[in-house]
Amino acid sequence: MDAFWIILTGALVAICCSLLGCFLILRRMAMVGDAISHAVLPGIVLAFLFSGSREVWTMLIGAALLGVACTFLIEFFHKKANVQADASIGVTFTWLFALGIILISVFAGKVDLDQDCVLYGEIAYVPLDIWLTENGTNLGPRTVWIIGGVLVVLLTFIGLFFKQLYLTSFDPAFAAAIGLSTTLWYYLLMGAVSLTTVAAFESVGAILVVALMVGPPATAYLLTDDLKKMLLISAGAGIIASAAGFYLALWLNGSVAGAISAIIGVQFLLAFIFSPTHGLVSRRQKLAPLSPSL
């Protein structure tokens, strides 16, 4: 039963991250997830300092607020100071992550706020954190309910506003010309990324969140030019990586998060070589008839 909960948790996180990752890839902002996952650290510390509590919901609220602030700063430096997007991401998240480290060392040095836990997580412990009702009914791991709720919100968000997300991601100039606010949809998308990152990193760790937000969408990007198919392929690749990674870790007696990330890397490598449209093999086959004339 523990294996089922671990794989289910990984699959739910994979679907959430993969769906949002597709839009980030199209916007050339794939590393925003990485930035947010690191930048939430000062939010966790500040939430503890103000509340004096280490309750999960308090930490999540503090982390979510810093995640949104991170996306605001990235956009502010990019638009107002004409800093390149990648440089804006790099400056913002390293500064906020360093601030979190300083806050821990100065104000919370004697408190068990382990930054390694934030970064690496441990999905294998998910079955231990169960949700019990007042009458003692076991509802299963709490993480599954949290991530499941986030997935419902994301599916509703993408289902209702797919056209707006599609247009503002592919052609911002056209979207602005027909009256869509690219800034509004940017912040709504980044808010969804912050929500997913914060909800997921407690159990699976920031590193796996980043791997799932970038790897499966990048693999799907190589396999299709259709956004709807890209979303489905990306989610499917994430689910397969979660299940295969778990059994690989079981076989090797190693880290589950590390094994899932390794499977994601293998998937991307296979797509890079064998993709029917953008793969290395297909591109060489297309160039082959031209070689004699060259």
Side-chain angles (χ1 to χ4, degrees), residues 228-258:
K228 290 183 178 178
K229 291 180 180 177
M230 183 179 172
L231 292 170
L232 293 174
I233 293 172
S234 179
I239 294 171
I240 292 172
S242 300
F246 171 77
Y247 287 107
L248 176 63
L250 201 64
W251 181 53
L252 296 173
N253 192 25
S255 165
V256 178

Side-chain angles (χ1 to χ4, degrees), residues 5-20:
W5 290 123
I6 294 171
I7 294 173
L8 178 60
T9 302
L12 290 173
V13 174
I15 297 171
C16 293
C17 292
S18 300
L19 294 178
L20 294 174

Side-chain angles (χ1 to χ4, degrees), residues 36 39-44 46 61-71 96 194:
I36 293 175
V40 297
L41 186 59
I44 294 173
L46 290 172
I61 292 172
L65 291 175
L66 255 292
V68 174
C70 175
T71 61
L96 288 175
S194 298

Side-chain angles (χ1 to χ4, degrees), residues 111-217:
V111 181
D112 183 22
L113 287 176
D114 187 357
Q115 54 265 40
D116 287 343
C117 178
V118 174
L119 287 178
Y120 306 125
E122 185 46 80
I123 193 173
Y125 295 155
V126 164
L128 301 178
D129 186 17
I130 59 175
W131 184 9
L132 294 174
T133 62
E134 292 183 357
N135 59 5
T137 303
N138 185 349
L139 298 178
R142 184 182 50 178
T143 301
V144 171
W145 289 94
I146 294 174
I147 299 298
V150 171
L151 178 58
V152 171
V153 172
L154 289 183
L155 290 176
T156 305
F157 174 62
I158 294 173
L160 290 176
F161 304 113
F162 178 81
K163 178 183 175 182
Q164 289 85 344
L165 292 170
Y166 174 87
L167 290 175
T168 53
S169 297
F170 267 106
D171 195 341
F174 176 73
I178 62 174
L180 290 177
S181 171
T182 55
T183 303
L184 171 65
W185 290 104
Y186 167 83
Y187 283 118
L188 287 176
L189 179 62
M190 292 304 133
V193 172
S194 298
L195 174 68
T196 303
T197 303
V198 170
F201 80 83
E202 184 206 8
S203 54
V204 305
I207 302 299
L208 186 54
V209 169
V210 176
L212 289 169
M213 201 166 279
V214 177

Side-chain angles (χ1 to χ4, degrees), residues 6 31 37 42 54 59 63 66-67 71 90 115 122 166 183 197 203-205 222-223 244-245 273 280 282 286 292-293:
I6 294 171
M31 296 313 294
S37 63
R54 287 187 295 159
M59 298 293 176
L66 255 292
T71 61
Q115 54 265 40
E122 185 46 80
Y166 174 87
T183 303
T197 303
S203 54
V204 305
L222 292 175
L223 296 176
I273 297 174
L280 202 59
S282 66
K286 291 175 184 175
S293 62

